[in-house]
Amino acid sequence: MSISENRARLLNDIETVHPSAKLIAVSKRQPEERIEEALASAQRIFGENRVQEAVTRWQERKKNYPDLELHLIGPLQTNKVKEAVALFDVIQVVDREKLAIALSKEMALQKRFLPCLIQVNTGEEEQKSGVFPAQLTDFLGFCQKTCQLNIQGLMCIPPADEPPALHFALLKKLAEENGLKDLSMGMSGDYIDALKLGASMVRVGTTFFGERDL
């Protein structure tokens, strides 16, 4: 199927299950021709994992597509905060105090007060980014009160070997308890479950772009 057909099918699924949700096309490591095909299909919301790759891909395109909405969905190092704030429209990966402080300072300098999401490590995996659920309320308070960040919601990446719906339900519960509205959860293999559990954003790569060529 073409990217245009994939996009139409995904949008139909969203319309059927949770019509207000956004489709984020995960464009990391995609070749230029697929990016152009996605843009030609009218897709305007994209997710990137790496700041430098995103700068190379999108900096010039943003001038030609002023309605582009770029989400940072991969780990952010503090030495990349300046570039991230300049390029992205949403930061989904706020996960530690040092990063929250750096983002706060850079947003003030650039006068770009971006919406942010806190990444929650719902599986409490030591090797994965994100705050543990028990830490969320305190960290949210730090981000909002000390750093004055515009925290809109939560994001998670469930463990690969556990049913994702359990983690989506936990993220929804945490958002409700903390008065947050956005839920970024669900990828190519589980976005339907995520939508059923209230995802306001799904991050879809392979199902949108197709398998990457080896």
Side-chain angles (χ1 to χ4, degrees):
M1 295 178 74
S2 69
I3 285 176
S4 180
E5 291 170 324
N6 289 342
R7 180 175 184 269
R9 181 166 60 86
L10 286 160
L11 289 176
N12 182 67
D13 289 341
I14 290 171
E15 180 65 28
T16 301
V17 182
H18 191 191
S20 63
K22 289 182 176 182
L23 171 60
I24 300 174
V26 179
S27 46
K28 63 178 181 179
R29 299 197 300 277
Q30 291 294 338
E32 290 296 295
E33 60 268 23
R34 288 185 181 175
I35 299 298
E36 288 301 319
E37 187 180 346
L39 290 165
S41 77
Q43 180 66 22
R44 292 293 182 269
I45 309 175
F46 294 87
E48 287 281 349
N49 282 55
R50 297 178 183 274
V51 174
Q52 201 55 54
E53 182 181 349
V55 169
T56 301
R57 174 171 293 135
W58 296 109
Q59 194 165 54
E60 288 302 312
R61 284 190 172 103
K62 284 198 92 174
K63 298 174 185 176
N64 299 322
Y65 296 93
D67 54 344
L68 273 177
E69 182 176 310
L70 299 181
H71 292 241
L72 181 60
I73 59 174
L76 177 57
Q77 302 303 316
T78 53
N79 65 349
K80 296 293 184 182
V81 161
K82 182 177 181 179
E83 292 169 288
V85 170
L87 181 69
F88 287 94
D89 302 292
V90 181
I91 306 291
Q92 291 205 17
V93 289
V94 182
D95 65 350
R96 59 199 187 278
E97 289 188 0
K98 184 179 179 181
L99 177 59
I101 292 168
L103 284 168
S104 177
K105 291 178 178 177
E106 191 58 43
M107 287 182 191
L109 285 172
Q110 296 191 30
K111 294 182 169 54
R112 294 199 80 218
F113 300 99
L114 306 179
C116 297
L117 281 68
I118 291 174
Q119 183 171 352
V120 182
N121 187 342
T122 54
E124 300 189 6
E125 299 171 277
E126 293 296 336
Q127 76 280 10
K128 189 176 286 184
S129 301
V131 300
F132 285 8
Q135 303 166 338
L136 174 61
T137 299
D138 287 345
F139 182 63
L140 174 62
F142 177 82
C143 290
Q144 291 177 325
K145 296 171 186 175
T146 302
C147 299
Q148 301 293 304
L149 291 179
N150 177 18
I151 303 294
Q152 295 279 313
L154 306 176
M155 177 265 231
C156 76
I157 304 171
D161 57 351
E162 296 184 17
L166 297 176
H167 295 270
F168 300 154
L170 173 58
L171 199 72
K172 181 180 181 181
K173 177 175 179 286
L174 292 169
E176 290 172 346
E177 289 174 350
N178 288 280
L180 298 170
K181 64 183 180 67
D182 279 330
L183 290 170
S184 175
M185 57 190 195
M187 297 183 283
S188 286
D190 53 31
Y191 70 91
I192 294 289
D193 286 338
L195 289 167
K196 289 177 179 177
L197 286 162
S200 59
M201 310 171 195
V202 290
R203 311 181 304 273
V204 181
T206 302
T207 304
F208 182 95
F209 285 101
E211 294 288 348
R212 280 194 295 271
D213 297 328
L214 296 177

